[in-house]
Amino acid sequence: MKFAVVEFPGSNCDHDAYHATKHVLGQDAEFVWHKDADLGGADVVVLPGGFSYGDYLRTGAIARFSPVMARVREFADAGGPVIGICNGFQVLLEAGLLEGALLRNRDLKFLCEHVHIRIERTDTPFTAGAVAGQVLRVPIAHGEGNFHASPETVAALEANRQVIFRYCAEDGELSDRSNPNGSVSAIAGICNAGRNVVGLMPHPERACESMLGSTDGRVLFESVISSIAATGVV
Amino acid sequence: MSIDQTTIDAHGFSPEEFQRLLEILGREPTMTELGIFSVMWSEHCSYKSSRLHLRRFPTEGPRVVQGPGENAGAVDIGDGITAVFKIESHNHPSFIEPYQGAATGVGGIIRDIFTMGARPIALLNSLRFGELDDPATKRLIDGVVAGIAGYGNSIGIPTVGGEIAFEPGYAGNPLVNVFCLGVAKADGLAMGLASGAGNPVYYVGAKTGRDGIHGATMASAEFDEHSADKRPAVQVGDPFMEKLLLEACLEVMRTDALVGIQDMGAAGLTCSTSEMGARGDVGIEIDVALVPQRETGMTPYEIMLSESQERMLLVAQRGREAEVERVFAKWDLHAVRIGQVTDDGLLRIRDHGEVVAEIPNRPLADRAPLYDRPTERPAYLDDVAQLDLATLAPPTDLGQVWLDLLGTPVIASKRWVYRQYDHMVRTNTVVLPGLGAGVVRVKGTTRALVFSLDGNGRHCYLDPAEGGRLAMAEAARNVACAGAVPIGATNCLNFGNPERPDIMWQFSQAVDGIAEACRALDVPITGGNVSLYNETDGQAIYPTPVLGVVGVLDDVSHVLTRVFPEPDLDIVLLGDPAGGLGGSEYLKQHHGLVRGTPCAVDLDRERALQGLLVDAAQGRWIRSAHDGSDGGLAVTLAECCVESGTVGAQIDLPSWDGADDRFGVVQALFGEAPSRVIVSVAAGQRDQLLSSARERSVPATVIGSTGGDRLRLAVAGQSVADIGVDEAEHAWGQGLTRHFER
Amino acid sequence: MKTRVFVTLKPSVFDPQGRTIVEALGSMGYASVHDVRQGKYFELEVAAATVDEARATVSEVADKLLANPVIESYRVEVDGDDGP
Amino acid sequence: MKTRVFVTLKPSVFDPQGRTIVEALGSMGYASVHDVRQGKYFELEVAAATVDEARATVSEVADKLLANPVIESYRVEVDGDDGP
Ligand SMILES: Nc1ncnc2c1ncn2[C@@H]1O[C@H](COP(=O)(O)OP(=O)(O)O)[C@@H](O)[C@H]1O
Ligand SMILES: [Mg+2]
């Protein structure tokens, strides 16, 4: 299984995603530079976290014009699994591969801490190995993770079962207190209509080794590895 | 054109200094030359008041790869890896513009580390402000923390720990010290040195503007009501540019097309060109017209003195230019050739070809002024040493005092601060902030690096030499509490005006204390920073040395934190039960007094204790370890219980001579003393721990056990305080945060 | 040619920064300020032969890059133009 | 009363965001945009009897809170006022 980790200028979780997929999960992984002409024959594309272009102007706003994004779009259109983590999620939204936008956190501060998220749907390649309702303990680290979309869009996302992760308490209950950034409907991550493109604010790649305090993030990577092995997609 | 006296004075030259300048040049200086000498000989760049004293630090040891003198120090951590680290202050800029001042401080220390060829992997910060009841102080803190976060988070280096304290003396002069650590292959260190006549000199990074001209001189002058006039000296940080520079420079260093590299920090092009030349004993010639400029009409003087951020100077091998340029181009950076290395030993500055400055490099550096400033023991010391407990009323509700102490901002949880910092990026952070020293693993090895920043201005104010010893001992102890062996130290010496003999005395005493502790603990100083003139309207801050100690833990799986992990463990106090109230947090909070003398540290005992901790961690005899500092044993114990769920503790502290005195119990609970650590131990390992402690003459007393959901404290069998873990958690959790909630 | 672009959050989008400012102003004694919305402001220097050309370029740039249509709207001003 | 405040970095202060935007526009084919400065834009609703009163309040607010006088300058506009 080969993961492509896309590097934009200013990406800073690129090595973390690489480490998690290659060294922890033992898969093939390769960096793809944002000016590269192809995705190196990857089976899965990861848009990692960080501050592409310094997050200047708006998070993800400039990165989405990088040449590699045209390749990512083709890959996604062909059904290839794509995951955007944190800044990667922001890039996917700006690029229109996912719907919605991310505003500044409700209390205007950058937040780095472990939170709980509930897996809402298991019919995406990144959650197929999980159980619906399963609660993960994973870190967040962002200043602009407050998911926003118009009420119609939110309703459509819900109706089409595109809300994949919600912030919750340890027991899976939703509450204002367990929503760290003010996201509408506690949305922590969504997928596209085709269900192969997933974006989320929390960092599963930071939760793959017990030494780092949680291994709950592995299920996302393990899911996509077995999904691909099972379907032989791409 | 000859330069008039007013101009000379404005550049801060003393008559003798100017005379020396004339001797070196053998003629009158040009304006550009005057500017260059002025910044190079400023306190900030030349350390003219402190250099003499800093020589007393021990700087050598088997692990030292690079001692003081380069951009950062370096120690060997094994496995062919070198840890490179240093601390830097950005006190004055942060007071003028908290966000940008703190942010550019972080940017500066990061450049110092990657300039050495090391990949930065961790940041720490040490902060001092006035008391939190002042809204202006809160705004300052808000800005400083956001600035550190803004820069560190963006560039992707985790801020894994630090310290923050509040004392009235810092209200007009906050301290913002930042520490960065990186790792490099042992043979991969780069040096800030030029060599090889004809080799090209490159400029890369942000364009030069009129930023911070005379910033270096600003950091060397006291604040007064006219400081506002110096405001244009503020710069805006660009972490994105620095991220590109960091990656590109590390990539260039891997090519061996590089001869030397140096960041442009204080005094920008001036400092980098002359220092690189002086270190290599060569000349450097540049043309300022080739320097990329952001503003029009800049004079050579301005270009040479600009402190625009995010710029690097490098010397490449002649003939390998294309390789260097290609790497920078990949990162959308433009490396511009602005000159070359020469063999005449001169710093020659041209402007469109015309020579505007020509200064012999070595004398500019080597003959910088060096002062043995007069010292005099301050008169206040005799007064503040007097602490007469007989005039004070002991508290009646010890549980309440306990909770109050837990809720004071300096002791309370720092979560409000560190959750604004990305402390997990790079996936190496093995111990999250708030649980003890910073711990990051080194991927590809079994090792972890452990570091702590510690300082206590109040102790140094009451006794600067003891304060220096205590700060060094505490920083090393915090590292040992995680199970790591301290192997190197850096320090940031924040003091007032060195031209005042009492301040200079404090400085000299503190250096002596630190040096003594370093020798006793066998931890060399590999570098540091001095920040003087920390005064507002003649009112100096507490003398505040901040020590940064780096340790290595051979097997990361042995790491310890402060938290009692489960019930039914024995709690053992390593060290003396007795603590003193002189200079304690209790005395300040409960009686409003900063008096007495802090308990002295017995350095032999300290060394034995740290050795015991390291062995106990390695042998897995203990389950947690926490250094007792502010607030005494009661506070230390409560800190072992909070954030761990509901593991409480029952404690019975022994009585000791004088325990029947009115303040005996207070001293048992809240008295402070160095060389004390609370550890938890499973029944099976207890005897091993106790006998090993006995062998090393470290006092060890079983004082209780973990469990339950309350913290019960007795002294000599007599119950004295009993609080719920949840109460403690609440007081401690909200103590700092509540000041910032809307 | 000097041009200016104003980007504001759409009225339906909650603006936490604006709210924070209103609250801060309230506690500072400026209760008369009862609503604040924060947006972005850009000054762009454009090489263009005519005001119309400048307006066209800048509108395109605002559309594609400066504003995110999901949450923001924008307005363009060109020196020497009174607007459409 | 509707008022607007424009906050910009002082001309001598470096604007990293502006520079990054210009470079991005360059690589997107908008080389004619040769300078961008990014600032902040605020819309404030103020209860005031006169334009002058509104202007005075908002100027004070801009001074104290909206702009950072160390690195920024600001301009105030009030509906129905042609400026001072
Ligand atoms: N400014 C700060 N930045 C990041 N972490 C901090 C800061 N201040 C304190 N911390 C963290 O909070 C914890 C408690 O700090 P402190 O009270 O100074 O500990 P100790 O008394 O053990 O030295 C430590 O883990 C420290 O790293
Ligand atoms: Mg401390």
Side-chain angles (χ1 to χ4, degrees), chain A residues 7-16 19 23-24 33-35 50-56 106-114 137 139-141 203 205-207 209 211-213, chain B residues 119 142 149-150 152-157 237-241 243-244 247 329-332 415-416 418-432 441 443 556-557 742:
Chain A
E7 294 183 287
F8 300 102
S11 293
N12 65 35
C13 304
D14 44 347
H15 287 264
D16 301 354
H19 174 76
H23 297 125
V24 181
W33 184 236
H34 74 120
K35 292 177 187 166
F51 286 68
S52 57
Y53 294 93
D55 271 2
Y56 295 157
R106 178 173 45 192
D107 71 356
L108 304 178
K109 296 242 183 287
F110 188 97
L111 284 181
C112 176
E113 61 195 1
H114 281 88
R137 183 171 175 271
I140 54 167
H203 286 274
E205 82 285 12
R206 295 185 184 187
E209 294 167 89
M211 191 194 292
L212 303 178
Chain B
R119 166 155 308 266
D142 218 37
N153 298 353
S154 174
I155 199 164
I157 301 169
D238 183 357
F240 173 53
M241 170 62 84
K243 170 74 174 162
L244 301 180
E247 297 299 341
K330 169 186 165 190
W331 292 95
D332 297 325
R415 183 161 171 264
W416 180 85
Y418 60 70
R419 79 168 183 160
Q420 296 184 52
Y421 301 150
D422 188 341
H423 47 259
M424 300 186 224
V425 62
R426 304 194 61 78
T427 57
N428 294 324
T429 310
V430 173
V431 174
L432 298 179
R441 67 167 165 185
K443 285 196 185 109
V556 60
S557 71
R742 288 197 296 270

Side-chain angles (χ1 to χ4, degrees), chain B residues 124-127 159-164 410-412 414 417-418 421 432-438 452-454 474 478 626-627 629-630 639:
Chain B
L124 302 178
N125 59 98
S126 168
L127 312 175
T159 301
V160 299
E163 48 158 19
I164 179 166
V410 67
I411 288 172
K414 310 302 185 302
V417 177
Y418 60 70
Y421 301 150
L432 298 179
L435 298 178
S452 184
L453 292 188
D454 286 281
E474 180 177 352
N478 276 327
H626 188 33
D627 160 45
S629 65
D630 302 338
E639 286 172 347

Side-chain angles (χ1 to χ4, degrees), chain A residues 208-232:
Chain A
C208 291
E209 294 167 89
S210 53
M211 191 194 292
L212 303 178
S214 171
T215 54
D216 290 359
R218 293 176 68 137
V219 69
L220 275 76
F221 300 105
E222 284 163 354
S223 292
V224 74
I225 292 165
S226 23
S227 298
I228 291 174
T231 60

